[in-house]
Amino acid sequence: MKFLITAGPTREPIDPVRYLTNRSSGRMGYALAGAARHDGHEVLLISGPTTLDVPPGVDFIPVETAQQMYDAVRDMLRGVDVAILCAAVADYRPVACAEQKIKKHTDKLVLELERTPDILGSMRSVFGFSGKLIGFAAETQNVVEYGRDKLVRKQCDMVVANDVSQPGIGFDSRENAVVLIYPDREEYLEKDSKERIAMQIIEHATILPS
Ligand code: CTP
């Protein structure tokens, strides 16, 4: 099978030396790419900036902004069987990027932000993607309810949801505990290394019903 996986944060420039970003190490997405490759699949990883090494045998497109990630995903969908959108995409970006470094002339500074394109939300409706679609949901409350809402709104086959308010899992840590949300049920994967959680997610992804 051919997998497309997004990972890491995006960076939205404010001026030549500053940017807005999300907390994300990229570990979950890179672990998914490594697990899928290990299982013999063809894997394309599209990632924002991280400090991680690309797993051996995985095709790689580095991006910085949400717009670049959107463009790369749209352009690379041909032949993809399973898309797993794991990236922590910035939801807003500065309306304009200052050409020169912003100097601290004033006590307060207001940044005007606009929405970035919703990659997951565009997969079916804009890109016409008809393969298996897996989204991620990082929530701080009502994890299953919000995750299920995302599954329906973005026409996913599965949403991997985690409670990022729990210490020691998710964002910057090496471990995760997630719930797989299907249209008709949920399945809990207990706290484990991101590598072992990734192997389980890939197994579930390959047997999604058509
Ligand atoms: N995502 C994306 N493009 C964006 C923002 C998010 O592809 N511009 C993807 C992430 O990779 C992840 C999922 O969408 O798979 C996270 O969804 P999120 O944006 O949190 O969902 P919403 O329900 O739209 O947002 P909110 O949590 O604010 O309700």
Side-chain angles (χ1 to χ4, degrees), residues 16 27 38 40 46 65 72 74 97 100 110 114 134 149 153 155 166 180 182 191:
R27 274 196 202 105
H38 182 263
I46 299 175
T65 65
R74 180 199 55 210
C97 171
Q100 306 297 334
V110 176
E114 64 185 5
I134 300 174
D149 175 62
R153 267 190 297 125
Q155 296 172 264
Q166 281 185 53
L180 307 182
Y182 289 92
K191 184 171 165 177

Side-chain angles (χ1 to χ4, degrees), residues 12 20 24-25 40 43 94 119-120 130 152-153 180-181 188 196:
E12 311 302 327
L20 289 177
S24 167
S25 63
V43 184
I119 306 166
L120 183 61
S130 58
V152 174
R153 267 190 297 125
L180 307 182
I181 302 175
Y188 288 81
R196 277 192 293 269

Side-chain angles (χ1 to χ4, degrees), residues 5-6 28-29 32 83-88 120 133-139 146-147 150-151 154 156 158-162 176 178-180 197-198 201:
I5 297 170
T6 69
M28 194 66 237
L32 286 165
I84 308 182
L85 301 199
C86 180
L120 183 61
L133 182 59
I134 300 174
F136 268 68
E139 305 291 353
Y146 288 161
K150 206 160 290 183
L151 176 93
K154 308 202 174 177
C156 297
M158 180 171 92
V159 161
V160 182
N162 61 349
N176 211 352
V178 302
V179 48
L180 307 182
I197 294 278
I201 293 171

